[in-house]
């Protein structure tokens, strides 16, 4: 898929999930580089900038896309000619995608250790990383039960329960408003992440913060399963995370409510760090309070470069 097609598929959610959109962005830039015909360095850099812009405009909240795109173009400006630049982009993209896939596996192995035989788990929306934790625990022979939320309006919960059922996991679908009532039975909550801020707040699918509050109330553990490329460098410098709002047609059919009624359709919400027991990353389990240190270490000298 070319850059425009990839951006359109991310926007209309044919490609969705914070990790998947990051890998799709990297892959689109790799294809753009592989198929590039010209040999003027400045023209290439201008065209690359446009391609990055098209991808980054597709969805505003998940920093994974931003980090995937920037990891793919890292070092390009230091290259002498277009041949070197396109080769670097392809190799960066390959490395990013490989690391991203490995991270999911590591997180699965680390997170599964938090699951005990007989545990009841809740998850929200459709996170490939949270699902990897649950499936790894199940493959280890642990007897588990999973409650998965429907996740209106896109109902990604249907993907989640289908995936878990294929694996053979004892899975129950619940409507979003059943979260607090069901939480009484739950030992652990595993959710994914779209973005994690420098002070450890989680930005994830709308409704995630309700699971966190209900888990806190009933003393269930609340775990965030997140690769470190979902940590947002921009938040280090004070930027707020833009919460995507999608079309109201996702919530109501035309004419279903009086025209004077306003409909609000935010896609993500923010869970404060105090409700998060741990963030499970490819670097290990960490507290939300450790995110700042990890980000600064990972950025290294690049912290002095423009990341905003
Ligand atoms: P993985 C999804 O966003 C959900 O919010 C999910 O928790 C998050 O991405 C992380 O997904 P959307 O694309 O990277 O459905 O863990 O809006 O697959």
């Amino acid at each position: 898929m070319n850059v425009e097609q990839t951006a359109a598929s991310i926007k209309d959610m044919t490609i969705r999930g914070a990790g998947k959109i990051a890998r799709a962005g990297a892959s689109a830039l790799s294809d753009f580089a592989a198929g590039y015909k010209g040999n003027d360095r400045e023209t290439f850099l201008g065209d690359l900038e446009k391609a990055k812009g098209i991808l980054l405009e597709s969805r505003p909240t998940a920093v994974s896309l931003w980090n995937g795109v920037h990891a793919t173009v890292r070092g390009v400006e230091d290259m002498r000619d277009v041949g070197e630049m396109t080769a670097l982009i392809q190799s960066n993209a390959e490395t990013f995608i490989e690391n991203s896939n490995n991270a999911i596996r590591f997180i699965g192995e680390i997170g599964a250790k938090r699951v005990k035989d007989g545990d009841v788990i809740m998850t929200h929306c459709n996170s490939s990383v949270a699902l990897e934790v649950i499936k790894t625990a199940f493959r280890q022979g642990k007897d588990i039960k999973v409650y998965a939320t429907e996740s209106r309006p896109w109902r990604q919960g249907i993907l989640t329960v289908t995936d878990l059922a294929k694996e053979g996991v004892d899975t129950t679908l619940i409507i979003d408003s059943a979260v607090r009532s069901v939480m009484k039975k739950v030992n652990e909550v595993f959710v994914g992440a779209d973005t994690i801020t420098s002070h450890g707040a989680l930005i994830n699918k709308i409704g995630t913060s309700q699971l966190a509050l209900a888990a806190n109330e009933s003393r269930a553990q609340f775990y965030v399963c997140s690769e470190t490329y979902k940590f947002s460098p921009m938040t280090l410098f004070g930027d707020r995370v833009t919460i995507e709002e999608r079309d109201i047609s996702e919530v109501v059919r035309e004419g279903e409510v009086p025209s004077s009624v306003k409909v609000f359709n935010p896609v993500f919400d923010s869970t404060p760090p105090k409700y998060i027991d741990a963030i499970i990353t490819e670097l290990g389990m960490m507290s939300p309070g450790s995110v700042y240190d990890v980000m600064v270490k990972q950025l290294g000298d690049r912290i002095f470069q423009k990341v905003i």
Side-chain angles (χ1 to χ4, degrees):
M1 265 201 278
N2 67 27
V3 165
E4 285 80 6
Q5 287 164 337
T6 303
S9 301
I10 293 174
K11 205 180 184 90
D12 70 15
M13 293 185 51
T14 311
I15 303 174
R16 54 145 297 280
K20 242 183 214 155
I21 64 175
R23 290 188 292 276
S27 165
L29 286 178
S30 176
D31 291 350
F32 162 83
Y36 198 78
K37 294 282 180 262
N39 53 19
D40 179 66
R41 197 178 172 280
E42 296 314 311
T43 310
F44 176 75
L45 284 173
D47 291 344
L48 180 63
E49 208 50 42
K50 275 186 222 142
K52 274 168 58 187
I54 292 167
L55 289 166
L56 294 178
E57 273 166 23
S58 60
R59 285 194 84 185
T61 302
V63 76
S64 50
L65 177 61
W66 193 95
N67 279 328
V69 162
H70 283 87
T72 302
V73 301
R74 189 162 299 143
V76 163
E77 289 192 4
D78 303 332
M79 297 295 109
R80 282 169 307 186
D81 57 45
V82 174
E84 281 185 7
M85 291 195 273
T86 55
L88 181 67
I89 288 172
Q90 290 171 79
S91 114
N92 281 348
E94 199 183 328
T95 306
F96 177 80
I97 292 167
E98 193 185 332
N99 288 345
S100 163
N101 287 325
N102 285 338
I104 298 178
R105 203 162 36 79
F106 293 153
I107 294 169
E109 281 162 21
I110 296 167
K113 292 189 192 164
R114 308 306 296 179
V115 179
K116 301 176 298 302
D117 199 36
D119 275 356
V120 178
I121 292 168
M122 187 182 285
T123 189
H124 185 51
C125 193
N126 181 249
S127 158
S128 53
V129 193
L131 283 177
E132 185 69 14
V133 170
I134 296 169
K135 290 192 283 189
T136 304
F138 180 73
R139 286 174 196 150
Q140 289 169 348
K142 289 172 187 165
D143 174 24
I144 54 171
K145 285 187 173 48
V146 178
Y147 285 94
T149 56
E150 181 187 11
S151 310
R152 280 267 295 152
W154 273 80
R155 307 183 77 220
Q156 289 97 327
I158 303 295
L159 299 172
T160 294
V161 295
T162 306
D163 190 2
L164 291 173
K166 265 192 207 142
E167 189 79 25
V169 179
D170 179 337
T171 305
T172 307
L173 179 71
I174 57 169
I175 57 171
D176 300 315
S177 41
V179 161
R180 183 164 176 263
S181 157
V182 173
M183 194 62 81
K184 291 191 275 287
K185 307 178 192 180
V186 170
N187 302 100
E188 292 104 20
V189 176
F190 291 101
V191 294
D194 286 85
T195 290
I196 294 181
T197 70
S198 61
H199 75 290
L202 164 68
I203 314 298
N204 193 49
K205 183 58 54 190
I206 189 79
T208 301
S209 63
Q210 296 176 136
L211 272 77
L213 256 72
N216 184 264
E217 180 192 42
S218 67
R219 294 174 184 247
Q221 300 289 292
F222 185 86
Y223 294 116
V224 179
C225 310
S226 172
E227 308 89 325
T228 55
Y229 68 82
K230 292 170 183 168
F231 293 1
S232 164
M234 293 82 121
T235 59
L236 268 178
F237 299 94
D239 283 17
R240 291 177 184 279
V241 178
T242 304
I243 301 290
E244 178 183 4
E245 280 175 44
R246 293 184 69 90
D247 198 84
I248 63 169
S249 62
E250 293 181 353
V251 180
V252 286
R253 289 185 295 278
E254 208 175 333
E256 196 177 15
V257 293
S259 57
S260 59
V261 173
K262 297 188 262 310
V263 178
F264 178 43
N265 183 21
V267 181
F268 302 100
D269 68 14
S270 173
T271 300
K274 67 177 176 180
Y275 295 112
I276 300 170
D277 287 289
I279 303 174
I280 307 171
T281 78
E282 75 280 12
L283 302 179
M285 278 184 64
M286 60 181 76
S287 70
S290 313
V291 171
Y292 172 85
D293 288 339
V294 172
M295 279 170 70
V296 169
K297 199 170 168 201
Q298 285 189 331
L299 284 168
D301 289 345
R302 284 186 290 117
I303 201 158
F304 299 113
Q305 292 172 9
K306 195 166 163 263
V307 296
I308 38 184

